[in-house]
Amino acid sequence: EALPGFANVKARLGLESLALSLAQPVLDAQTRLRVANGTADLALDLQMSADKGLGLTGDAGLASLALADATAAADAPPVLKLEKLSLKGLALDLAKRQLSAQQLLAGGLDTTVRRAADGQLDLQLLLVPAGAPPAPSAASTPSTSASLAAPSGSWAPPSPLC
């Protein structure tokens, strides 16, 4: 037994009105966005067993989320505002590093998108880490269609703090 006395543990964690600014280090590592406003409510169930390892399930909600361009002036308006986001049926498998949700509900989305002189949308530029070179512009890349493609690659969460 890896952890004697912890063969089958269950716990419930509830957090209310958690400031989303705590997620800023994750945004800094993955995007050029900053949290201008927002709170989170979490209701999570933790299960640990010798045969299944550690798992996390539950629900989460965000309220009054506002994300701004981290490279713009502090008083610049947010590029994305979301009044409410609800995630139901969350399941985190730590062994597989996989998060799934059964239901996603969003309300009150307001976003501002601008096209740069080179043809790129500013949101595309904001989804690139600050130290990374910008993606090639549409003008410099041959294209056979006019569709927008999602950024390539995969996202991995940063290493745990502890």
Side-chain angles (χ1 to χ4, degrees), residues 115-148:
R115 186 172 300 276
D118 67 357
Q120 281 192 309
L121 299 177
D122 63 349
L123 288 179
Q124 289 174 300
L125 299 173
L126 295 173
L127 297 177
V128 176
S137 69
S140 65
T141 305
S143 176
T144 58
S145 70
S147 66
L148 291 176

PDB file of all heavy atoms in Angstrom, residues 115-148:
ATOM      1  N   ARG A 115      -9.084  43.312 -36.512  1.00  0.00           N
ATOM      2  CA  ARG A 115      -8.162  42.738 -37.491  1.00  0.00           C
ATOM      3  C   ARG A 115      -6.960  43.668 -37.598  1.00  0.00           C
ATOM      4  O   ARG A 115      -7.095  44.862 -37.832  1.00  0.00           O
ATOM      5  CB  ARG A 115      -8.834  42.570 -38.842  1.00  0.00           C
ATOM      6  CG  ARG A 115      -7.952  41.851 -39.852  1.00  0.00           C
ATOM      7  CD  ARG A 115      -8.685  41.515 -41.133  1.00  0.00           C
ATOM      8  NE  ARG A 115      -9.825  40.654 -40.942  1.00  0.00           N
ATOM      9  CZ  ARG A 115      -9.782  39.323 -40.854  1.00  0.00           C
ATOM     10  NH1 ARG A 115      -8.625  38.714 -40.913  1.00  0.00           N
ATOM     11  NH2 ARG A 115     -10.872  38.616 -40.718  1.00  0.00           N
ATOM     12  N   ALA A 116      -5.766  43.119 -37.425  1.00  0.00           N
ATOM     13  CA  ALA A 116      -4.535  43.893 -37.535  1.00  0.00           C
ATOM     14  C   ALA A 116      -4.251  44.173 -39.010  1.00  0.00           C
ATOM     15  O   ALA A 116      -4.855  43.578 -39.903  1.00  0.00           O
ATOM     16  CB  ALA A 116      -3.380  43.125 -36.903  1.00  0.00           C
ATOM     17  N   ALA A 117      -3.311  45.065 -39.271  1.00  0.00           N
ATOM     18  CA  ALA A 117      -2.956  45.438 -40.643  1.00  0.00           C
ATOM     19  C   ALA A 117      -2.486  44.234 -41.459  1.00  0.00           C
ATOM     20  O   ALA A 117      -2.701  44.179 -42.664  1.00  0.00           O
ATOM     21  CB  ALA A 117      -1.871  46.511 -40.621  1.00  0.00           C
ATOM     22  N   ASP A 118      -1.879  43.241 -40.782  1.00  0.00           N
ATOM     23  CA  ASP A 118      -1.399  42.058 -41.505  1.00  0.00           C
ATOM     24  C   ASP A 118      -2.488  40.996 -41.690  1.00  0.00           C
ATOM     25  O   ASP A 118      -2.230  39.929 -42.226  1.00  0.00           O
ATOM     26  CB  ASP A 118      -0.182  41.460 -40.811  1.00  0.00           C
ATOM     27  CG  ASP A 118      -0.494  40.875 -39.444  1.00  0.00           C
ATOM     28  OD1 ASP A 118      -1.666  40.969 -38.988  1.00  0.00           O
ATOM     29  OD2 ASP A 118       0.416  40.316 -38.821  1.00  0.00           O
ATOM     30  N   GLY A 119      -3.713  41.285 -41.234  1.00  0.00           N
ATOM     31  CA  GLY A 119      -4.829  40.370 -41.433  1.00  0.00           C
ATOM     32  C   GLY A 119      -5.142  39.474 -40.251  1.00  0.00           C
ATOM     33  O   GLY A 119      -6.173  38.824 -40.224  1.00  0.00           O
ATOM     34  N   GLN A 120      -4.273  39.418 -39.264  1.00  0.00           N
ATOM     35  CA  GLN A 120      -4.531  38.557 -38.110  1.00  0.00           C
ATOM     36  C   GLN A 120      -5.575  39.187 -37.189  1.00  0.00           C
ATOM     37  O   GLN A 120      -5.652  40.412 -37.065  1.00  0.00           O
ATOM     38  CB  GLN A 120      -3.261  38.327 -37.301  1.00  0.00           C
ATOM     39  CG  GLN A 120      -2.339  37.305 -37.906  1.00  0.00           C
ATOM     40  CD  GLN A 120      -1.256  36.908 -36.926  1.00  0.00           C
ATOM     41  OE1 GLN A 120      -0.594  37.768 -36.364  1.00  0.00           O
ATOM     42  NE2 GLN A 120      -1.080  35.619 -36.736  1.00  0.00           N
ATOM     43  N   LEU A 121      -6.357  38.344 -36.551  1.00  0.00           N
ATOM     44  CA  LEU A 121      -7.297  38.812 -35.541  1.00  0.00           C
ATOM     45  C   LEU A 121      -6.549  38.999 -34.238  1.00  0.00           C
ATOM     46  O   LEU A 121      -5.680  38.190 -33.893  1.00  0.00           O
ATOM     47  CB  LEU A 121      -8.432  37.803 -35.356  1.00  0.00           C
ATOM     48  CG  LEU A 121      -9.285  37.526 -36.597  1.00  0.00           C
ATOM     49  CD1 LEU A 121     -10.311  36.456 -36.300  1.00  0.00           C
ATOM     50  CD2 LEU A 121      -9.939  38.791 -37.099  1.00  0.00           C
ATOM     51  N   ASP A 122      -6.897  40.041 -33.490  1.00  0.00           N
ATOM     52  CA  ASP A 122      -6.171  40.293 -32.251  1.00  0.00           C
ATOM     53  C   ASP A 122      -6.338  39.154 -31.246  1.00  0.00           C
ATOM     54  O   ASP A 122      -5.440  38.882 -30.465  1.00  0.00           O
ATOM     55  CB  ASP A 122      -6.525  41.647 -31.640  1.00  0.00           C
ATOM     56  CG  ASP A 122      -7.982  41.780 -31.227  1.00  0.00           C
ATOM     57  OD1 ASP A 122      -8.803  40.913 -31.584  1.00  0.00           O
ATOM     58  OD2 ASP A 122      -8.297  42.773 -30.559  1.00  0.00           O
ATOM     59  N   LEU A 123      -7.451  38.442 -31.271  1.00  0.00           N
ATOM     60  CA  LEU A 123      -7.624  37.313 -30.356  1.00  0.00           C
ATOM     61  C   LEU A 123      -6.620  36.207 -30.655  1.00  0.00           C
ATOM     62  O   LEU A 123      -6.154  35.520 -29.755  1.00  0.00           O
ATOM     63  CB  LEU A 123      -9.050  36.761 -30.412  1.00  0.00           C
ATOM     64  CG  LEU A 123     -10.124  37.645 -29.783  1.00  0.00           C
ATOM     65  CD1 LEU A 123     -11.493  37.002 -29.926  1.00  0.00           C
ATOM     66  CD2 LEU A 123      -9.819  37.943 -28.330  1.00  0.00           C
ATOM     67  N   GLN A 124      -6.268  36.030 -31.935  1.00  0.00           N
ATOM     68  CA  GLN A 124      -5.244  35.043 -32.284  1.00  0.00           C
ATOM     69  C   GLN A 124      -3.911  35.423 -31.657  1.00  0.00           C
ATOM     70  O   GLN A 124      -3.174  34.578 -31.182  1.00  0.00           O
ATOM     71  CB  GLN A 124      -5.071  34.954 -33.798  1.00  0.00           C
ATOM     72  CG  GLN A 124      -6.220  34.295 -34.517  1.00  0.00           C
ATOM     73  CD  GLN A 124      -6.037  34.380 -36.020  1.00  0.00           C
ATOM     74  OE1 GLN A 124      -5.961  35.470 -36.570  1.00  0.00           O
ATOM     75  NE2 GLN A 124      -5.969  33.228 -36.661  1.00  0.00           N
ATOM     76  N   LEU A 125      -3.605  36.693 -31.658  1.00  0.00           N
ATOM     77  CA  LEU A 125      -2.345  37.163 -31.080  1.00  0.00           C
ATOM     78  C   LEU A 125      -2.342  37.025 -29.568  1.00  0.00           C
ATOM     79  O   LEU A 125      -1.298  36.803 -28.961  1.00  0.00           O
ATOM     80  CB  LEU A 125      -2.094  38.619 -31.483  1.00  0.00           C
ATOM     81  CG  LEU A 125      -1.964  38.866 -32.989  1.00  0.00           C
ATOM     82  CD1 LEU A 125      -1.902  40.350 -33.267  1.00  0.00           C
ATOM     83  CD2 LEU A 125      -0.765  38.150 -33.544  1.00  0.00           C
ATOM     84  N   LEU A 126      -3.517  37.172 -28.930  1.00  0.00           N
ATOM     85  CA  LEU A 126      -3.597  37.092 -27.476  1.00  0.00           C
ATOM     86  C   LEU A 126      -3.487  35.664 -26.956  1.00  0.00           C
ATOM     87  O   LEU A 126      -3.221  35.449 -25.785  1.00  0.00           O
ATOM     88  CB  LEU A 126      -4.899  37.728 -26.986  1.00  0.00           C
ATOM     89  CG  LEU A 126      -5.019  39.227 -27.239  1.00  0.00           C
ATOM     90  CD1 LEU A 126      -6.409  39.712 -26.873  1.00  0.00           C
ATOM     91  CD2 LEU A 126      -3.960  39.999 -26.481  1.00  0.00           C
ATOM     92  N   LEU A 127      -3.699  34.683 -27.817  1.00  0.00           N
ATOM     93  CA  LEU A 127      -3.640  33.287 -27.391  1.00  0.00           C
ATOM     94  C   LEU A 127      -2.262  32.672 -27.600  1.00  0.00           C
ATOM     95  O   LEU A 127      -2.110  31.469 -27.634  1.00  0.00           O
ATOM     96  CB  LEU A 127      -4.717  32.471 -28.113  1.00  0.00           C
ATOM     97  CG  LEU A 127      -6.139  32.904 -27.784  1.00  0.00           C
ATOM     98  CD1 LEU A 127      -7.136  32.101 -28.603  1.00  0.00           C
ATOM     99  CD2 LEU A 127      -6.428  32.774 -26.300  1.00  0.00           C
ATOM    100  N   VAL A 128      -1.265  33.518 -27.690  1.00  0.00           N
ATOM    101  CA  VAL A 128       0.126  33.093 -27.824  1.00  0.00           C
ATOM    102  C   VAL A 128       0.863  33.585 -26.584  1.00  0.00           C
ATOM    103  O   VAL A 128       0.694  34.737 -26.186  1.00  0.00           O
ATOM    104  CB  VAL A 128       0.760  33.713 -29.100  1.00  0.00           C
ATOM    105  CG1 VAL A 128       2.221  33.367 -29.198  1.00  0.00           C
ATOM    106  CG2 VAL A 128       0.006  33.261 -30.328  1.00  0.00           C
ATOM    107  N   PRO A 129       1.664  32.735 -25.921  1.00  0.00           N
ATOM    108  CA  PRO A 129       2.415  33.192 -24.752  1.00  0.00           C
ATOM    109  C   PRO A 129       3.260  34.420 -25.075  1.00  0.00           C
ATOM    110  O   PRO A 129       3.739  34.577 -26.204  1.00  0.00           O
ATOM    111  CB  PRO A 129       3.290  32.002 -24.377  1.00  0.00           C
ATOM    112  CG  PRO A 129       2.581  30.823 -24.956  1.00  0.00           C
ATOM    113  CD  PRO A 129       1.900  31.328 -26.211  1.00  0.00           C
ATOM    114  N   ALA A 130       3.451  35.280 -24.097  1.00  0.00           N
ATOM    115  CA  ALA A 130       4.148  36.553 -24.296  1.00  0.00           C
ATOM    116  C   ALA A 130       5.551  36.374 -24.864  1.00  0.00           C
ATOM    117  O   ALA A 130       6.000  37.178 -25.657  1.00  0.00           O
ATOM    118  CB  ALA A 130       4.201  37.328 -22.986  1.00  0.00           C
ATOM    119  N   GLY A 131       6.272  35.328 -24.514  1.00  0.00           N
ATOM    120  CA  GLY A 131       7.637  35.134 -24.999  1.00  0.00           C
ATOM    121  C   GLY A 131       7.730  34.465 -26.359  1.00  0.00           C
ATOM    122  O   GLY A 131       8.787  34.407 -26.954  1.00  0.00           O
ATOM    123  N   ALA A 132       6.600  33.958 -26.868  1.00  0.00           N
ATOM    124  CA  ALA A 132       6.617  33.230 -28.132  1.00  0.00           C
ATOM    125  C   ALA A 132       6.527  34.188 -29.307  1.00  0.00           C
ATOM    126  O   ALA A 132       5.911  35.238 -29.204  1.00  0.00           O
ATOM    127  CB  ALA A 132       5.448  32.243 -28.178  1.00  0.00           C
ATOM    128  N   PRO A 133       7.119  33.812 -30.433  1.00  0.00           N
ATOM    129  CA  PRO A 133       6.989  34.666 -31.616  1.00  0.00           C
ATOM    130  C   PRO A 133       5.557  34.612 -32.124  1.00  0.00           C
ATOM    131  O   PRO A 133       4.877  33.598 -31.972  1.00  0.00           O
ATOM    132  CB  PRO A 133       7.949  34.041 -32.620  1.00  0.00           C
ATOM    133  CG  PRO A 133       8.094  32.637 -32.189  1.00  0.00           C
ATOM    134  CD  PRO A 133       7.916  32.628 -30.686  1.00  0.00           C
ATOM    135  N   PRO A 134       5.062  35.692 -32.717  1.00  0.00           N
ATOM    136  CA  PRO A 134       3.693  35.675 -33.246  1.00  0.00           C
ATOM    137  C   PRO A 134       3.574  34.682 -34.393  1.00  0.00           C
ATOM    138  O   PRO A 134       4.549  34.400 -35.091  1.00  0.00           O
ATOM    139  CB  PRO A 134       3.469  37.105 -33.721  1.00  0.00           C
ATOM    140  CG  PRO A 134       4.814  37.730 -33.811  1.00  0.00           C
ATOM    141  CD  PRO A 134       5.731  36.948 -32.906  1.00  0.00           C
ATOM    142  N   ALA A 135       2.368  34.160 -34.555  1.00  0.00           N
ATOM    143  CA  ALA A 135       2.111  33.228 -35.654  1.00  0.00           C
ATOM    144  C   ALA A 135       2.238  33.958 -36.979  1.00  0.00           C
ATOM    145  O   ALA A 135       2.034  35.165 -37.037  1.00  0.00           O
ATOM    146  CB  ALA A 135       0.709  32.644 -35.498  1.00  0.00           C
ATOM    147  N   PRO A 136       2.578  33.244 -38.057  1.00  0.00           N
ATOM    148  CA  PRO A 136       2.666  33.908 -39.357  1.00  0.00           C
ATOM    149  C   PRO A 136       1.316  34.503 -39.731  1.00  0.00           C
ATOM    150  O   PRO A 136       0.281  33.927 -39.430  1.00  0.00           O
ATOM    151  CB  PRO A 136       3.048  32.792 -40.322  1.00  0.00           C
ATOM    152  CG  PRO A 136       3.250  31.569 -39.531  1.00  0.00           C
ATOM    153  CD  PRO A 136       2.861  31.838 -38.116  1.00  0.00           C
ATOM    154  N   SER A 137       1.335  35.648 -40.379  1.00  0.00           N
ATOM    155  CA  SER A 137       0.087  36.309 -40.749  1.00  0.00           C
ATOM    156  C   SER A 137      -0.540  35.603 -41.932  1.00  0.00           C
ATOM    157  O   SER A 137       0.116  34.875 -42.671  1.00  0.00           O
ATOM    158  CB  SER A 137       0.342  37.772 -41.093  1.00  0.00           C
ATOM    159  OG  SER A 137       1.082  37.854 -42.294  1.00  0.00           O
ATOM    160  N   ALA A 138      -1.818  35.861 -42.132  1.00  0.00           N
ATOM    161  CA  ALA A 138      -2.546  35.267 -43.250  1.00  0.00           C
ATOM    162  C   ALA A 138      -1.946  35.734 -44.573  1.00  0.00           C
ATOM    163  O   ALA A 138      -1.955  35.003 -45.562  1.00  0.00           O
ATOM    164  CB  ALA A 138      -4.018  35.640 -43.166  1.00  0.00           C
ATOM    165  N   ALA A 139      -1.413  36.956 -44.602  1.00  0.00           N
ATOM    166  CA  ALA A 139      -0.846  37.496 -45.837  1.00  0.00           C
ATOM    167  C   ALA A 139       0.435  36.771 -46.233  1.00  0.00           C
ATOM    168  O   ALA A 139       0.748  36.655 -47.409  1.00  0.00           O
ATOM    169  CB  ALA A 139      -0.565  38.984 -45.662  1.00  0.00           C
ATOM    170  N   SER A 140       1.195  36.243 -45.245  1.00  0.00           N
ATOM    171  CA  SER A 140       2.466  35.602 -45.563  1.00  0.00           C
ATOM    172  C   SER A 140       2.368  34.085 -45.664  1.00  0.00           C
ATOM    173  O   SER A 140       3.342  33.426 -45.964  1.00  0.00           O
ATOM    174  CB  SER A 140       3.518  35.974 -44.514  1.00  0.00           C
ATOM    175  OG  SER A 140       3.151  35.436 -43.264  1.00  0.00           O
ATOM    176  N   THR A 141       1.189  33.525 -45.374  1.00  0.00           N
ATOM    177  CA  THR A 141       1.000  32.078 -45.407  1.00  0.00           C
ATOM    178  C   THR A 141       0.045  31.712 -46.533  1.00  0.00           C
ATOM    179  O   THR A 141      -1.064  32.228 -46.578  1.00  0.00           O
ATOM    180  CB  THR A 141       0.408  31.581 -44.065  1.00  0.00           C
ATOM    181  OG1 THR A 141       1.254  32.026 -43.015  1.00  0.00           O
ATOM    182  CG2 THR A 141       0.287  30.079 -44.032  1.00  0.00           C
ATOM    183  N   PRO A 142       0.432  30.817 -47.449  1.00  0.00           N
ATOM    184  CA  PRO A 142      -0.499  30.418 -48.508  1.00  0.00           C
ATOM    185  C   PRO A 142      -1.697  29.701 -47.897  1.00  0.00           C
ATOM    186  O   PRO A 142      -1.560  28.959 -46.934  1.00  0.00           O
ATOM    187  CB  PRO A 142       0.315  29.483 -49.387  1.00  0.00           C
ATOM    188  CG  PRO A 142       1.601  29.241 -48.710  1.00  0.00           C
ATOM    189  CD  PRO A 142       1.712  30.177 -47.557  1.00  0.00           C
ATOM    190  N   SER A 143      -2.872  29.943 -48.470  1.00  0.00           N
ATOM    191  CA  SER A 143      -4.083  29.336 -47.932  1.00  0.00           C
ATOM    192  C   SER A 143      -4.986  28.900 -49.074  1.00  0.00           C
ATOM    193  O   SER A 143      -5.086  29.578 -50.090  1.00  0.00           O
ATOM    194  CB  SER A 143      -4.807  30.343 -47.049  1.00  0.00           C
ATOM    195  OG  SER A 143      -6.022  29.806 -46.603  1.00  0.00           O
ATOM    196  N   THR A 144      -5.652  27.768 -48.894  1.00  0.00           N
ATOM    197  CA  THR A 144      -6.572  27.292 -49.911  1.00  0.00           C
ATOM    198  C   THR A 144      -8.016  27.547 -49.528  1.00  0.00           C
ATOM    199  O   THR A 144      -8.912  27.303 -50.299  1.00  0.00           O
ATOM    200  CB  THR A 144      -6.372  25.787 -50.154  1.00  0.00           C
ATOM    201  OG1 THR A 144      -6.563  25.094 -48.930  1.00  0.00           O
ATOM    202  CG2 THR A 144      -4.981  25.507 -50.693  1.00  0.00           C
ATOM    203  N   SER A 145      -8.256  28.011 -48.289  1.00  0.00           N
ATOM    204  CA  SER A 145      -9.625  28.310 -47.869  1.00  0.00           C
ATOM    205  C   SER A 145      -9.617  29.541 -46.984  1.00  0.00           C
ATOM    206  O   SER A 145      -8.591  29.974 -46.500  1.00  0.00           O
ATOM    207  CB  SER A 145     -10.229  27.122 -47.117  1.00  0.00           C
ATOM    208  OG  SER A 145      -9.605  26.983 -45.863  1.00  0.00           O
ATOM    209  N   ALA A 146     -10.800  30.069 -46.761  1.00  0.00           N
ATOM    210  CA  ALA A 146     -10.923  31.286 -45.964  1.00  0.00           C
ATOM    211  C   ALA A 146     -11.338  30.975 -44.535  1.00  0.00           C
ATOM    212  O   ALA A 146     -11.764  31.846 -43.817  1.00  0.00           O
ATOM    213  CB  ALA A 146     -11.947  32.216 -46.612  1.00  0.00           C
ATOM    214  N   SER A 147     -11.240  29.726 -44.107  1.00  0.00           N
ATOM    215  CA  SER A 147     -11.679  29.375 -42.757  1.00  0.00           C
ATOM    216  C   SER A 147     -10.593  29.700 -41.731  1.00  0.00           C
ATOM    217  O   SER A 147      -9.414  29.748 -42.042  1.00  0.00           O
ATOM    218  CB  SER A 147     -12.033  27.889 -42.677  1.00  0.00           C
ATOM    219  OG  SER A 147     -10.871  27.122 -42.870  1.00  0.00           O
ATOM    220  N   LEU A 148     -11.041  29.924 -40.488  1.00  0.00           N
ATOM    221  CA  LEU A 148     -10.108  30.155 -39.384  1.00  0.00           C
ATOM    222  C   LEU A 148      -9.810  28.826 -38.731  1.00  0.00           C
ATOM    223  O   LEU A 148     -10.721  28.072 -38.416  1.00  0.00           O
ATOM    224  CB  LEU A 148     -10.733  31.093 -38.348  1.00  0.00           C
ATOM    225  CG  LEU A 148     -10.927  32.530 -38.788  1.00  0.00           C
ATOM    226  CD1 LEU A 148     -11.637  33.307 -37.704  1.00  0.00           C
ATOM    227  CD2 LEU A 148      -9.594  33.170 -39.090  1.00  0.00           C
TER     228      LEU A 148
END
